[in-house]
Amino acid sequence: MIIVIDGPAGSGKSSTARAVADRLNIEYLDSGALYRAVTLIYIEANRDKEVFFELLNQKEISFYYEDQTFYVAIDGQSVTNELRTAKVAEFVSEVAALPRVRSFVNNLMREAVIDGLYIAEGRDLGTAVFPDAELKFFMSADLEERAKRRYKERKSKNPEITLEEVKQNIAERDLKDSKRKADPLKKADDAIEFDTTDVTFEQQVDKICSKVSEVIEVQN
Ligand code: CDP
């Protein structure tokens, strides 16, 4: 069974999905982390697409969720700490717009969720990857609020970063993610829309947990 949360950057998808996964003891899948890992390979290939696709074919990407962290490894080597750098943030939407990359990541995800109960988050999970998901959410919030949240999150690891830079990166990615031809960021018709601008984190988690619990009960 799969529950999906889609939405733009900083809308609260990851933190909410992780909290829901922990509270209800279900598995968590971070599709953005997989696009970020693929972007590391793109950077290794110096953004040469031919070299990149060759490397992508050769490498094995593995992942698991534990202790609030979604771990990703390339050929058995952890890249978890490299996924959230400014360089990856700069190129990830360019990489995620490539149809071959999308089918590569979609296959990884579909294979992962064959058994068990999962909550997954991304941009196109309810529309393109898991159109038959049992429950779909689309989270959003004002750009200003999303930038503030992301800035707060990043500042401790990267003290040089400014709110303006974060806001600009988020706005650029939102635009690229919504305008691309291949599986753009879009609310599925049957997704529950959830604007989190004026909602506390606890309220967010409570609301999603109660809906998820209802669906799990019905399925059992
Ligand atoms: O955490 P944040 O929402 O900022 O980003 P993320 O979830 O780590 O996703 C990083 C990027 O991967 C997004 O800006 C998209 O370009 C891409 N992505 C995508 O295209 N489709 C998904 N299902 C998930 C992420």
Side-chain angles (χ1 to χ4, degrees), residues 13 31 36 93 102 123-124 150 173 177 180:
K13 305 176 306 279
S31 64
R36 287 171 184 270
S93 292
R102 302 209 70 79
R123 302 290 189 286
D124 60 335
R150 191 44 58 90
R173 281 199 288 131
D177 293 344
R180 69 173 174 235

Side-chain angles (χ1 to χ4, degrees), residues 70-138:
F70 188 77
Y71 293 93
V72 185
I74 300 176
D75 287 341
Q77 199 72 34
S78 177
V79 292
T80 312
N81 290 331
E82 295 160 52
L83 299 179
R84 304 236 153 232
T85 59
K87 188 139 195 191
V88 171
E90 186 183 345
F91 295 123
V92 64
S93 292
E94 177 177 321
V95 175
L98 301 169
R100 263 166 82 182
V101 168
R102 302 209 70 79
S103 55
F104 176 86
V105 171
N106 291 351
N107 283 342
L108 283 180
M109 288 194 280
R110 290 185 184 125
E111 280 167 16
V113 307
I114 287 173
D115 288 320
L117 176 53
Y118 278 84
I119 185 158
E121 47 102 1
R123 302 290 189 286
D124 60 335
L125 304 190
T127 49
V129 191
F130 301 112
D132 299 326
E134 274 79 3
L135 190 56
K136 300 178 186 178
F137 295 95
F138 190 87

Side-chain angles (χ1 to χ4, degrees), residues 42-71:
Y42 184 67
I43 293 168
E44 185 187 333
N46 283 322
R47 300 172 66 202
D48 177 320
K49 293 212 178 75
E50 209 174 303
V51 177
F52 163 61
F53 283 119
E54 213 169 287
L55 282 177
L56 193 61
N57 273 339
Q58 291 162 7
K59 298 200 186 260
E60 199 205 339
I61 298 185
S62 54
F63 48 90
Y64 65 96
Y65 176 64
E66 200 175 84
D67 296 334
Q68 291 269 307
T69 306
F70 188 77
Y71 293 93

Side-chain angles (χ1 to χ4, degrees), residues 20-51:
V20 172
D22 292 348
R23 198 187 288 179
L24 302 180
N25 198 21
I26 58 187
E27 296 292 332
Y28 165 66
L29 189 55
D30 178 355
S31 64
L34 300 178
Y35 283 104
R36 287 171 184 270
V38 170
T39 303
L40 287 173
I41 301 174
Y42 184 67
I43 293 168
E44 185 187 333
N46 283 322
R47 300 172 66 202
D48 177 320
K49 293 212 178 75
E50 209 174 303
V51 177

